[in-house]
Amino acid sequence: MSGHSKWHSIKHKKARVDAQRGRIFTKIIKEITVAARLGGGDPEANPRLRVAIAQAKAANMPAKNIDNAIRKGTGELPGVVYEDVTYEGYGPGGVAVFVEAVTDNKNRTVAEMRHLFSKYGGNLGENGSVAWIFERKGLIRVPREQYTEEDLLEIALECGAEDMQTTDEFYEIYTSFEDFHKVRNAFEEKNIAMESAELTMIPQNTIKIEGKTAEQMLKLLEVLDEHDDVQNVYSNFEMEDAEMERLVSKE
């Protein structure tokens, strides 16, 4: 498993803990608000909103919070106006880093991003500097205890998925950006319980790191992910599983 994928799995576990503390609610509410503002408040006609609502339900967010966030996005309730922004740069060892954020103050957020990149051995770049390295894909996680790998792979390919990988806890099914909603809907129709379903960014090439560089890189990813405005962080690092586990266990 690549370092990027391994980090994604670790971050996913961490998100479930954060949800219990309520921290993840803030990020999901921002995403729902922006999705509703840009595409309207009907999830059936707004795929981005539909995904955000699914994430909210997976985090056990109360229905009233979801409804209020939608109504703030559509202007039915007063609220802060959030905007989508992306930041691109390089971490320790020349690793590419792509950040998706939602902010009500672009000047503040870009200054804070520049500070974090610099503090942890990286540098913020221009728009377009690393985006070309990544490809947007759909990612669906299914708990392993439900199916054998062979059975689920057959179902996934039948539904239009591109690939499937196995982690300690989940099967990770990858789709093209265009087919993501079709595959997810097909899984729902087949009553396949999904742990999560989201759009993600997959690196087309990777950089292997270790030692101090690897430690700095994970710290940069962690502080970026914990920033209130940041929704997602993607990178193209490669790291031995043993090294990853060692560094994560030090925290």
Side-chain angles (χ1 to χ4, degrees):
M1 184 188 301
S2 73
H4 170 82
S5 297
K6 188 73 173 178
W7 164 253
H8 207 92
S9 297
I10 289 170
K11 192 177 79 168
H12 183 70
K13 293 179 184 177
K14 180 173 172 290
R16 289 188 307 207
V17 176
D18 286 342
Q20 294 172 7
R21 296 197 297 259
R23 176 180 174 272
I24 200 72
F25 280 17
T26 300
K27 293 192 175 188
I28 295 176
I29 285 172
K30 284 184 178 181
E31 174 63 15
I32 290 173
T33 302
V34 171
R37 180 171 65 83
L38 296 178
D42 179 7
E44 293 304 314
N46 185 342
R48 178 174 174 178
L49 179 60
R50 193 158 66 243
V51 171
I53 291 173
Q55 291 173 339
K57 289 180 178 178
N60 295 316
M61 182 182 291
K64 184 171 178 59
N65 294 39
I66 297 172
D67 183 59
N68 285 345
I70 293 173
R71 295 175 68 194
K72 286 178 181 178
T74 58
E76 296 172 70
L77 290 177
V80 177
V81 176
Y82 294 111
E83 295 180 82
D84 282 328
V85 287
T86 59
Y87 304 100
E88 303 175 39
Y90 293 92
V95 172
V97 181
F98 187 89
V99 180
E100 294 176 335
V102 172
T103 181
D104 62 342
N105 187 327
K106 288 184 178 180
N107 291 335
R108 181 201 68 228
T109 304
V110 71
E112 291 173 353
M113 291 296 105
R114 186 173 289 110
H115 169 73
L116 291 176
F117 269 87
S118 177
K119 182 177 180 179
Y120 294 98
N123 61 280
L124 193 64
E126 299 293 328
N127 284 344
S129 59
V130 304
W132 59 273
I133 295 173
F134 299 89
E135 184 177 4
R136 192 167 289 282
K137 296 282 188 180
L139 172 59
I140 298 170
R141 287 188 180 84
V142 175
R144 287 184 60 179
E145 63 265 20
Q146 289 191 68
Y147 300 93
T148 66
E149 185 172 359
E150 184 178 344
D151 286 346
L152 188 61
L153 179 59
E154 182 178 347
I155 294 171
L157 294 177
E158 178 188 315
C159 292
E162 291 184 339
D163 190 21
M164 187 175 85
Q165 297 179 12
T166 304
T167 70
D168 292 342
E169 293 183 71
F170 304 105
Y171 297 118
E172 294 189 337
I173 297 95
Y174 291 87
T175 78
S176 68
F177 173 76
E178 295 77 12
D179 288 342
F180 169 64
H181 295 291
K182 181 187 78 174
V183 175
R184 191 193 63 181
N185 291 342
F187 273 33
E188 288 178 346
E189 290 173 3
K190 292 179 180 292
N191 296 315
I192 296 174
M194 295 169 280
E195 173 73 13
S196 63
E198 61 188 341
L199 291 169
T200 187
M201 299 281 273
I202 305 298
Q204 302 308 294
N205 59 65
T206 58
I207 294 177
K208 189 169 184 177
I209 55 175
E210 58 187 1
K212 184 65 176 179
T213 300
E215 188 172 352
Q216 274 190 305
M217 186 66 222
L218 288 188
K219 187 62 180 177
L220 173 60
L221 292 176
E222 183 180 5
V223 296
L224 288 172
D225 192 55
E226 289 180 349
H227 191 283
D228 286 344
D229 293 341
V230 172
Q231 297 294 92
N232 298 294
V233 184
Y234 308 104
S235 59
N236 73 331
F237 74 91
E238 186 83 23
M239 188 187 303
E240 295 293 337
D241 282 0
E243 178 85 335
M244 173 77 79
E245 297 292 352
R246 181 183 70 81
L247 294 175
V248 169
S249 67
K250 287 176 62 176
E251 297 180 1

